[in-house]
Amino acid sequence: MSARGRPEYEFNKRFAEELIERGRAWSSSLELLLLNPSGRQIALRERPREAAARRVDLFVSIHHDSVNKKYKRRWEYQGRSLEYSDVYKGFSLFVWEQGPHLKQSIAIASLIGKYLRSAGLSPTLHHAEPIAGENRLLLNRELGIYAAPFAVLKSASMPAVLFEIGIIANREEERELNEPSYRARIQSEVLAALMDYCGRK
């Protein structure tokens, strides 16, 4: 849930749909598929399996981030008492260190991280904090790349990356992520990274 009470899924769906639409305008050689356009429930482990059935070359799981409960406070917004945290902001990228395509997964995560950094965006490093619910292995501090055994990564039979676009528990970052121009900036860098990866591949 965001600082202003919107579910993460709404942010994820909007970003993914816009990314695909922008990708169509960018290049006819890059085919982006939205795995679940109808919003039906798909178990985490089944998502990359459905992607494999559609013979995709790369799986990118789109998310929006939060923080540990200890960093959250409450505020009143439009008559509702909601949780927020302005302590951390930024993107993060995850791969599974035991995955069959680790080298390629790190390659695409690195390209996304580099393109985002070149656009002036910064990663969040709070997932490496040694506390319950975090304590993720930080593979690249500069690019915000972590290793984590998330189900969507462990079940992937192709290179796979989980992308936390920003922290919607952060009131400023949530506001930025609701700006179309800000999302377009991120999407353009992600598409550039995907094109770069495909070109190298």
Side-chain angles (χ1 to χ4, degrees):
M1 194 70 71
S2 78
R4 291 172 177 82
R6 289 184 59 195
E8 180 200 357
Y9 175 75
E10 292 182 10
F11 288 83
N12 298 344
K13 188 171 188 290
R14 178 180 63 186
F15 187 92
E17 289 174 343
E18 290 174 348
L19 181 69
I20 288 174
E21 190 62 31
R22 196 172 301 280
R24 290 190 182 122
W26 265 53
S27 171
S28 60
S29 63
L30 183 66
E31 183 181 2
L32 302 180
L33 303 175
L34 185 60
L35 183 63
N36 186 15
S38 66
R40 64 190 169 89
Q41 289 289 340
I42 306 177
L44 293 173
R45 294 181 183 278
E46 290 303 315
R47 295 174 191 180
R49 292 171 184 163
E50 286 202 16
R54 296 171 71 173
R55 304 179 64 84
V56 304
D57 297 303
L58 174 67
F59 183 85
V60 180
S61 189
I62 298 291
H63 295 270
H64 288 73
D65 213 352
S66 190
V67 297
N68 190 278
K69 188 79 171 177
K70 75 174 186 175
Y71 293 117
K72 292 186 176 180
R73 303 290 182 267
R74 301 201 75 86
W75 72 319
E76 294 290 325
Y77 179 74
Q78 295 185 345
R80 300 171 65 189
S81 176
L82 298 166
E83 288 187 323
Y84 77 95
S85 176
D86 296 336
V87 178
Y88 296 105
K89 66 176 294 187
F91 68 87
S92 51
L93 297 148
F94 294 85
V95 299
W96 183 41
E97 70 271 31
Q98 297 180 41
H101 300 283
L102 177 61
K103 183 177 179 180
Q104 296 96 321
S105 298
I106 290 178
I108 185 59
S110 297
L111 284 169
I112 293 172
K114 287 175 182 175
Y115 275 90
L116 292 175
R117 290 306 305 265
S118 71
L121 301 170
S122 299
T124 177
L125 304 178
H126 74 281
H127 292 298
E129 187 177 4
I131 59 175
E134 297 293 356
N135 202 29
R136 302 299 182 187
L137 176 62
L138 184 59
L139 299 177
N140 189 313
R141 175 177 294 270
E142 178 69 17
L143 303 179
I145 302 173
Y146 299 85
F150 295 144
V152 290
L153 300 177
K154 291 180 69 174
S155 299
S157 59
M158 71 290 290
V161 176
L162 188 145
F163 178 28
E164 295 279 10
I165 297 161
I167 300 176
I168 54 174
N170 181 302
R171 293 175 294 184
E172 179 189 359
E173 191 155 36
E174 180 194 13
R175 180 186 56 77
E176 290 175 335
L177 288 163
N178 276 320
E179 290 289 334
S181 61
Y182 187 77
R183 294 195 305 276
R185 180 178 163 199
I186 298 173
Q187 291 156 6
S188 294
E189 299 305 326
V190 171
L191 287 169
L194 293 174
M195 292 294 291
D196 195 342
Y197 174 79
C198 291
R200 296 182 187 205
K201 186 171 181 294

